Amino acid sequence: MVLLAFATAAAAAPLTTRPPLILHSLSLDVLGGGKVTRDPDVPDYPAGNPVQLTAVPDSGWIFAGWSGGATGTTNPLRVTMDADRVIGATFTAVVWTITASAGSGGRISPGGLVPVSYGADQTFTITPLSGYHVVAVRVDGIAVGPVTSYTFLHVTADHTITAGFAVTTHTMTVKVVGVGSVTRSPNLAAYAEGSIVSLKATPGVGWLFDRWSGDTSGTANPVAVTMSVDRTVTASFRTDWTITASAGSGGTISPNGPVVVAPGGTQAFVITPDPGYQVADVEVDGASAGAVTGYTFTGVSTDHTIAARFSGTDYALTVGVVGHGRVTRDPELARYPEGSTVTLTAFPDPGSTFAAWGGDAAGNPNPLTVTMDAAKSVSAGFDVTDILASTAATFPSYAGGLPPAWGDDDNDGDPDLPLVRNDGHGVFSEMPGFRTLLANGNYHGGAWCDFDRDGNLDLALQPYGSGTRARLLKNQGDGTFVDMAPTLGMDIAGYGATAVWGDFDGDGWVDLFTPYYSYTKPNRSYLWHNNGNGTFTDVGVESGVELSNLPAGLNPEGACAGDFDDDGDLDLYCAGHLLRNDGTGHFADVRAAMGLPLVSDGAARWVDYDDDGDLDLSLRTAAGPQLFRNDGNQFNVGGQLGGRGQRRGPGPLPVAVQPAGAALPEPGERDIRPGPDVRPRRQLGADGLGGRRRRRGHGPARGGGGPTPAAEHAGEPAGVRGQLAQGHGAGFGG
């Protein structure tokens, strides 16, 4: 850089000229961890002036050298500013080496030369081979004990670590009680870990080997002992055996107490009840021998016990129910004294009537007085009150079982059934070719849905038995169907239950949930992701809905989908599991957290029965139908449908009977109907996508799906017409 200075001469002074001042710039580039200082530290330097540069590395770094307008590693560096300069300083990280080695009998990981960055930590794992143990670990030559892991912290220097191992051995100590001896094979002072030692007990003259105790037990002779630790074993010898006899209140056993019996001897016992008592049971060595009055031990070769129990003369009363109702008894006792009386009162559930008594009682007096002069079994029969009138409609016979799933497969405005086409006016006919597709199989659950958006309802059928496979019947639109399940790998054999359609991952395509009994093949359930191209992929395991390893009592009979937490995605209830959807099609069981009991349910249904805007849960349990109220972050018992007591079916429910031609409820109304489809109408998604943010639940109940007339879907695009109904159980056939 050149600076020119000018001055104007005064009238009385001569003109003078100053030499130009030349300045040079100095730029510094730093690569790595460090900095460069300069002295002097000014923006520019007069030509020829010196500058001292000093490279200062950060902690864990070293100065590697200069580049650009300077070379070498001299530090500090003196630079003469005879031109503009750009000088670079390079720093490199410090790397230390830990040398790891292990002796025979084990390994250290990582091993060899292990590079470690400055200040970093490094952990080593020491693992002995089977039959060996760590005997010593040394770090930089100093013993740190027989550790199996060691960590160098904040490494700032090179180190060494070595591991030594030794064979693991154990000792065997043998003790004797009584007269006898024990030999061992092999007979060693110490035994390698995992080796087997055979011990043989030899009794002295007039003595018998009794048993082993300590680190082995039982009477096997010889006995094999595995040397996994130091062992101490005692051999006991004896001269005779003892039978310990005892009796409860209400009778005696003779002889009583400890009874000594010679080896191989015989001993008889007599059991005598007191007046007014009877022998309830005799237990020999903890196992029942029945209500006997005598018992004899023969060939005695070990100790025994015999215990007699007695009871007063009383009788059990068993009460059963056929149909839907309950029976009370007064008094309520487990057993009744001879000659006492019991009053039985039958209470029918709503929708049922008491018919008659059966078993050890007859007729229909209610209440009924029973005299307990013997053990008795009485049943109460209940009939269903007639609330529906039968029609003259007939259906084709079918050897297996078919679920009553209704759906308008031919788009004529009338709901049809699997195998059976509704021709209108109460007339039904068989679908051509459909019987061949069914192959006389037995089917448990069915659901219609236009999964490929071609405007025609397709049908999913669940098998019930190892001889039947699942079907996915694609509607060809010309009155015929093609089974896509074998091609798509969906033809699962087993005991299937309710099939549920729904867009569980929010991609706009309807997916399919197919539950199966988990205690028999295929031992799990499936979630079939709709790929949008006519194919499906099983994502049950990764989605968390495979429901495997469940006990037999938790069958997936009542699967249903609904947005119970109102977050815009479909959740699932199935087999006692409340599966919350995280919005991506992945589920977690929140049943316990939401306060629901773990019960076996034969049917499940989402229904906003209290009209508070969120979905409540109706379950058919062994205790009868029950309602669980959704209170936002917890389910609470909301009610019980159809009374209490033992029952074999869903039971009668409050009904809303509609005459022929009557209008169906408007969306938003909540009616509970008899039969298969007990659900709020607003839950049925018209698009088969589960009604995301529009209609919040769907799913079948036991007995099959109720019809949803095609008129409800009028004006919808044919490509998004969804699930009309789902069915569960054998609806007709045979």
Side-chain angles (χ1 to χ4, degrees), residues 613-653:
D614 52 28
L615 293 179
D616 311 302
L617 184 62
S618 169
L619 297 179
R620 192 193 70 189
T621 70
Q626 289 187 313
L627 282 171
F628 295 92
R629 185 180 64 252
N630 186 347
D631 290 331
N633 60 357
Q634 192 83 5
F635 281 89
N636 294 295
V637 175
Q640 188 173 46
L641 302 177
R644 301 183 303 275
Q646 189 179 18
R647 55 191 73 245
R648 298 181 301 174
L653 300 171

Side-chain angles (χ1 to χ4, degrees), residues 29 87 89 106 131 193 208 224 228 239 260 267 313 325 328 366 438 483 513 540 575 613 633 670-671 674 695:
D29 290 335
I87 297 177
E193 182 167 353
L208 299 170
S228 56
T239 57
V260 176
Q267 180 63 54
T313 304
T328 63
N366 192 23
L438 297 176
D483 184 10
F513 175 62
N633 60 357
R670 294 156 188 82
D671 299 322
R695 303 179 181 187

